[in-house]
Amino acid sequence: MKRLLLDTHVLLWWLADDAALGPRARSLIAAADNVIYVSAASIWEISIKKSLGKLQAPDGFDMILDEEGFESLVIDAFHAEQAGALPPLHRDPFDRMLIAQAQAEGLSILTCDQNIAPYGVRLIDAAA
């Protein structure tokens, strides 16, 4: 069993059945014995980008996550403190939160963002 945290772009690729999501990544997400987490930070990021007109994405992520069998990962005070304490190697605050959550919860991040690698979290290439 793997415990995977989806990066925001991976969640959107999965929902859109985008070809950018590789076959190994698809099989990891679809595997019934894996636990797939989606951070509240990703939903926040999607919501902001939608409101700015930079992204088209569905509404109702509570229902979508439930339908997909994904676990919602809340942002707690410890996650927030950890994200703020990370060295400034990556400036994206949403990715910094995902890194902090992955570190705190022992999760691997499914992503194509190589800017996350210097933080030493376990990464799985979403294009593979």
Side-chain angles (χ1 to χ4, degrees), residues 5-26:
L5 177 58
L6 302 186
D7 200 344
T8 306
H9 63 276
V10 174
L11 172 62
L12 293 171
W13 290 351
W14 172 262
L15 295 176
D17 197 26
D18 193 307
L21 188 61
R24 178 172 180 259
R26 285 180 190 281

Side-chain angles (χ1 to χ4, degrees), residues 54-94:
K54 294 182 175 184
L55 178 68
Q56 290 188 358
D59 293 321
F61 271 94
D62 279 345
M63 187 182 307
I64 290 169
L65 297 183
D66 190 49
E67 289 170 357
E68 295 293 331
F70 297 162
E71 297 292 325
S72 182
L73 183 58
V74 300
I75 298 170
D76 66 20
F78 183 76
H79 297 148
E81 200 167 34
Q82 290 298 107
L86 288 172
L89 306 173
H90 193 357
R91 296 202 178 275
D92 184 318
F94 301 107

